[in-house]
Amino acid sequence: MIPGAERRLVTVAPGVNLELFEAGAGPAVILLHGFPELAYSWRHQVGPLAAAGYRVIVPNQRGYGASSAPAPVEAYDLESLAADVAALVRWAGAGPAVVIGHDWGAPVAWHAALRYPGLVRAVGSLSVPHAARPSRPPLELMREAAGPDHIHYIDYFQQPGVAEAEFEADVRAGLLGFYWSISGDAPRDERFRPIRRGARFIDSFAPPAQLPAWLTAADLEVYVEAFTLSGFRGGLNWYRNVNRNWERSADLAGAVVRQPALFVTGSRDPARNPPAIERLRDVVPDLRVFAILEGCGHWTQQERPAEVTGAILRFLREIDARADL
């Protein structure tokens, strides 16, 4: 599915296999996707990173593509997802890896860095910055922020089966509309709208009149085919663990990510969390690469492939150059 990469199926936990795509040889770099995406979202980065001398490993995470999709909701908490990353590093067998995530892949990468510091030598994220653990359960904070007339989309996703049915009624329109609505190309009147109470999530956006330049018809078809087969339950179950993640991370309150780090986001990305970005160096003191791409939306590595690839390569070269000193 990713040109130049070899497909593998790797067991990461009892009964859990991850489909992944691997290219190149050298120090391991693991790239983690978000929702609703696939390993394919990193298609532009795999070849250049492999050519630069790295072993690039890009999994379809739990619930995506041909990877396992366990039935229990709690199988998708951050502890389980970070353990999957640790299992991939051990499977690669080449020492600690660089782990970089986008969207939901970002908190998985940051969590893996905190939980498995001996396996993660450097860490980075696109779109979603690392943030200190909040003092209260996330859903409480989201409900307060949404107010009485609206519902936060993560809160909307809490009821199993609801958002799944909306997406699966028309997979192509649902994916394309969502991709478009939080991209950097969407004009203000076509961007994702807050969900009013009693309304449907799927009504908060609509497909564009034509595909954006960064998403070809063939690209879209890869996603449509995959989600038509897998459905959306696995990916949406990640959201159903936000309070569980908070409960299980009490020991990480005040924790600091010590590894060298990278962060890249877009100026039009609704997930960029400006307050967290302002405080990023407090929780990630060794931040080596920091970039905000003007006009870029949420799908960072797809909307701005050359800039993202360049930032990652600069990061890798710097940490490896310092390691040689």
Side-chain angles (χ1 to χ4, degrees):
M1 185 171 70
I2 297 179
E6 184 175 351
R7 178 185 178 274
R8 300 184 185 278
L9 203 63
V10 175
T11 299
V12 293
V16 179
N17 299 317
L18 295 188
E19 177 186 32
L20 61 80
F21 300 85
E22 182 182 11
V29 177
I30 298 175
L31 304 175
L32 306 174
H33 68 81
F35 176 87
E37 294 181 285
L38 300 162
Y40 187 75
S41 68
W42 292 99
R43 61 195 176 278
H44 301 295
Q45 286 72 44
V46 172
L49 295 185
Y54 294 92
R55 182 182 177 187
V56 188
I57 299 168
V58 194
N60 280 327
Q61 298 197 78
R62 290 190 184 206
Y64 291 89
S67 293
S68 297
V73 170
E74 59 268 22
Y76 300 86
D77 68 4
L78 277 179
E79 296 295 330
S80 301
L81 299 167
D84 287 349
V85 174
L88 286 180
V89 177
R90 295 188 184 104
W91 166 80
V98 176
V99 181
I100 299 173
H102 169 252
D103 184 77
W104 257 114
V108 176
W110 295 116
H111 203 72
L114 287 168
R115 285 291 189 221
Y116 303 97
L119 296 177
V120 179
R121 70 184 182 102
V123 62
S125 73
L126 311 181
S127 178
V128 179
H130 182 50
R133 181 178 181 271
S135 59
R136 290 189 289 146
L139 285 177
E140 285 186 15
L141 301 175
M142 293 171 191
R143 288 164 183 162
E144 287 180 7
D149 299 327
H150 294 86
I151 181 169
H152 194 284
Y153 74 96
I154 293 178
D155 195 7
Y156 187 94
F157 288 166
Q158 295 306 302
Q159 182 60 45
V162 175
E164 287 95 324
E166 294 177 18
F167 270 115
E168 291 164 15
D170 190 334
V171 174
R172 177 174 280 98
L175 286 173
L176 180 55
F178 189 52
Y179 293 157
W180 172 249
S181 71
I182 56 176
S183 74
D185 297 322
R188 183 179 297 274
D189 62 346
E190 295 182 31
R191 289 182 69 76
F192 181 86
R193 299 180 296 278
I195 309 166
R196 296 194 66 84
R197 291 200 175 273
R200 301 187 308 166
F201 171 79
I202 206 78
D203 294 329
S204 294
F205 51 83
Q210 61 185 25
L211 292 173
W214 53 269
L215 186 71
T216 69
D219 294 335
L220 179 61
E221 196 59 31
V222 170
Y223 294 115
V224 171
E225 289 182 3
F227 283 100
T228 298
L229 289 173
S230 70
F232 289 81
R233 180 176 173 83
L236 288 166
N237 276 343
W238 291 44
Y239 292 92
R240 294 168 185 146
N241 279 280
V242 292
N243 273 6
R244 179 180 173 83
N245 294 337
W246 181 83
E247 291 162 0
R248 299 193 71 190
S249 63
D251 63 310
L252 296 178
V256 171
V257 173
R258 297 296 180 186
Q259 294 93 327
L262 164 148
F263 177 66
V264 179
T265 190
S267 67
R268 299 199 76 206
D269 185 349
R272 69 187 184 280
N273 192 345
I277 291 175
E278 290 179 6
R279 296 189 292 270
L280 186 56
R281 292 185 187 276
D282 294 338
V283 290
V284 186
D286 195 6
L287 186 62
R288 305 280 183 89
V289 172
F290 175 90
I292 298 178
L293 306 180
E294 187 60 36
C296 182
H298 183 65
W299 315 107
T300 328
Q301 73 271 38
Q302 297 184 83
E303 292 185 49
R304 300 290 181 83
E307 290 169 87
V308 169
T309 300
I312 293 174
L313 284 173
R314 288 196 304 275
F315 178 58
L316 295 174
R317 288 167 181 153
E318 178 178 338
I319 61 176
D320 287 338
R322 291 199 184 186
D324 291 338
L325 295 178

